[in-house]
Amino acid sequence: MRILYFTQFYKPESIAAAFRACDHARYWAKAGCDVVVFTGWPNYPTGRVFDGYKVERLGEERDGDVRVLRSKSVVAPNTSMARRVLGGGSWLAYGILNCVLQKRRIGPLPDVVLATSGTVFAAMVGRFFAKRNRVPLVVEFRDLTYRQMAATGSDGRGWKVRLMRRLELSLCRDADRVVALTEGFKEALVAEGVPAEKIDVVPNGADIVPCRHEWSGAGALRLGYFGTMGISQDVPATLDLASALAKTGARVSYLLVGEGAARSLVEEGVASGAYPFAELRHAVSKDELEPLYASVDMTVVSLQKSGGFAGTIPSKIFQSFARGVPVLFCGPEGEACRLVRDSGAGLALTGTAEEAARALADFASDPELPKRLARMSESAVEFMEAGYTRRAMAERTLRILEGVRRRRLERSAAAKGALRPDDALCSDERSSQVSDS
């Protein structure tokens, strides 16, 4: 099966969308599929093209068995809505031009197009290509941007939110199949009129990474925040939570690593001297991040306490669990906090700031804290191995793509006779090789 995968982010960028796209594409190629990724030039999160890359209108490289096409865009730091729209909008424009003018470079028509939304621009380019060439389309929603915008302060009845809602729902209408990353996203789309039977849920995941830990003693807690510092994450509130814990006499350290639209607020807070326990660093590569996981007792995963984020599960939870690091979740009641609680691999704080501070203080003062953290670490790894590995998620997505292609073949076969046995998508033998690897 030939798969054309549209995603604005891809390796070597350190962002959840890039991790998912890269890992899935590699698994599909290993299963015997011909995979082409249509993406942008790597520049996230700094807004500067990575060293070793020279921007062309459409560049090409290999990622193992995956062919990667990189389409031009205006490169700008991800520090404001205007700059995000400029970067994404220009990627949309150049992407459509390349789909029209560089069709031969893209290669033979795929059997199915997978277009990931979040940003919506990548999905729009994928839809354009699929409709223009009459190829089946699967749209994957990593975020529902119109709900995220409303949850972070935009007027839910304003033109910006209404426009984004129309765009995202139009992608659902045009898609042969929709993939949502959480049950909450699926419920939201169904409430908007998208047929439930058209939507599959394939969560994020992560492969296990061995990580050796030495836990702090009772009355001490080393926290780490590793990831995007956007408006949605409300990272400044986590500084206040850690400060409340420090005021109880607990020995607290808090390492924050990342970029984003709200980083300046974190910088101001740390520079003010109000959080002497905090250390702020710029984003680093995935390899440079690995030893930092081993240096903390818990990673902080936060979301604004808005019902609009109740269906969101930050990928940082899976990344942390895969390394055996317990998670301290701060956010609304919903899927993320249930996942942390049900896994037994962390602490979920969803109440008021005062309630959260008391719960964290009780946790940190537990005389059995090192043993408790060790049990959480074991539970985290077991939880991931039980069904949230990248391989498991890639295989689930591949079955969806196979089903879409099969249904298209069956419809066309009615006019041609019968479906040939050699129209198999990715052979059962090759799929089993991936499962057993």
Side-chain angles (χ1 to χ4, degrees), residues 53-110:
Y53 288 88
K54 183 179 179 181
V55 176
E56 307 171 37
R57 190 171 69 183
L58 187 66
E60 182 173 341
E61 64 185 72
R62 300 290 303 193
D63 178 23
D65 294 328
V66 178
R67 192 160 67 97
V68 180
L69 301 175
R70 296 193 180 274
S71 183
K72 186 177 180 180
S73 67
V74 174
V75 176
N78 184 33
T79 54
S80 68
M81 176 63 76
R83 287 180 171 178
R84 289 194 290 274
V85 171
L86 173 63
S90 64
W91 195 82
L92 169 64
Y94 278 111
I96 289 176
L97 282 174
N98 281 323
C99 286
V100 174
L101 303 178
Q102 300 288 329
K103 186 175 178 180
R104 289 187 178 181
R105 289 277 309 277
I106 294 173
L109 284 181

Side-chain angles (χ1 to χ4, degrees), residues 93 141 146 197-198 211 214 228 267 282-283 305 351 364 391 404 413:
F141 284 95
Y146 76 93
E197 60 274 14
K198 189 177 184 177
C211 189
E214 293 183 4
T228 301
E267 289 176 341
H282 285 286
K305 290 182 179 178
R391 182 181 68 190
V404 168

Side-chain angles (χ1 to χ4, degrees), residues 267-291:
E267 289 176 341
E268 291 172 7
V270 173
S272 73
Y275 310 104
F277 51 81
E279 179 185 355
L280 178 61
R281 300 184 191 177
H282 285 286
V284 298
S285 69
K286 189 175 181 180
D287 290 340
E288 293 174 292
L289 193 59
E290 292 301 337

Side-chain angles (χ1 to χ4, degrees), residues 221 298 347 358-366 369 372-373 376:
L221 202 59
M298 306 184 83
L347 182 65
R358 285 196 299 270
L360 185 57
D362 290 343
F363 178 82
S365 63
D366 186 343
L369 180 61
R372 192 171 177 183
L373 288 169
M376 286 181 169

Side-chain angles (χ1 to χ4, degrees), residues 6-8 91-92 113-130 137-141 167-168 171-172 174:
F6 287 85
T7 171
Q8 192 170 343
W91 195 82
L92 169 64
V113 165
L114 173 62
T116 187
S117 181
T119 66
V120 71
F121 304 106
M124 293 172 67
V125 177
R127 175 176 61 180
F128 174 85
F129 183 93
L137 171 67
V138 176
V139 173
E140 174 185 75
F141 284 95
L167 287 174
E168 293 185 315
L171 290 169
C172 293
D174 291 339

Side-chain angles (χ1 to χ4, degrees), residues 155-281:
D155 181 359
R157 292 173 293 183
W159 70 268
K160 295 178 183 178
V161 174
R162 288 188 287 110
L163 174 61
M164 185 58 67
R165 175 178 172 273
R166 289 196 188 102
L167 287 174
E168 293 185 315
L169 293 181
S170 71
L171 290 169
C172 293
R173 286 193 298 271
D174 291 339
D176 293 80
R177 200 83 191 161
V178 173
V179 174
L181 263 64
T182 72
E183 292 290 344
F185 291 170
K186 178 176 179 178
E187 291 171 5
L189 291 174
V190 170
E192 296 283 5
V194 181
E197 60 274 14
K198 189 177 184 177
I199 307 172
D200 295 286
V201 177
V202 182
N204 258 318
D207 289 327
I208 304 302
V209 178
C211 189
R212 184 176 179 179
H213 306 287
E214 293 183 4
W215 310 110
S216 297
L221 202 59
R222 299 169 302 172
L223 303 174
Y225 183 94
F226 308 140
T228 301
M229 299 180 188
I231 304 300
S232 305
Q233 287 77 27
D234 199 14
V235 179
T238 70
L239 283 168
D240 292 332
L241 178 64
S243 180
L245 178 60
K247 290 175 182 177
T248 67
R251 300 186 303 278
V252 180
S253 66
Y254 191 8
L255 174 62
L256 301 100
V257 181
E259 311 291 336
R263 180 187 163 91
S264 60
L265 297 176
V266 180
E267 289 176 341
E268 291 172 7
V270 173
S272 73
Y275 310 104
F277 51 81
E279 179 185 355
L280 178 61
R281 300 184 191 177

Side-chain angles (χ1 to χ4, degrees), residues 321-345:
F321 280 4
R323 289 155 179 81
V325 185
V327 165
L328 175 63
F329 174 75
C330 308
E333 286 287 343
E335 286 193 62
C337 74
R338 287 196 296 272
L339 187 148
V340 171
R341 289 170 181 156
D342 293 348
S343 67

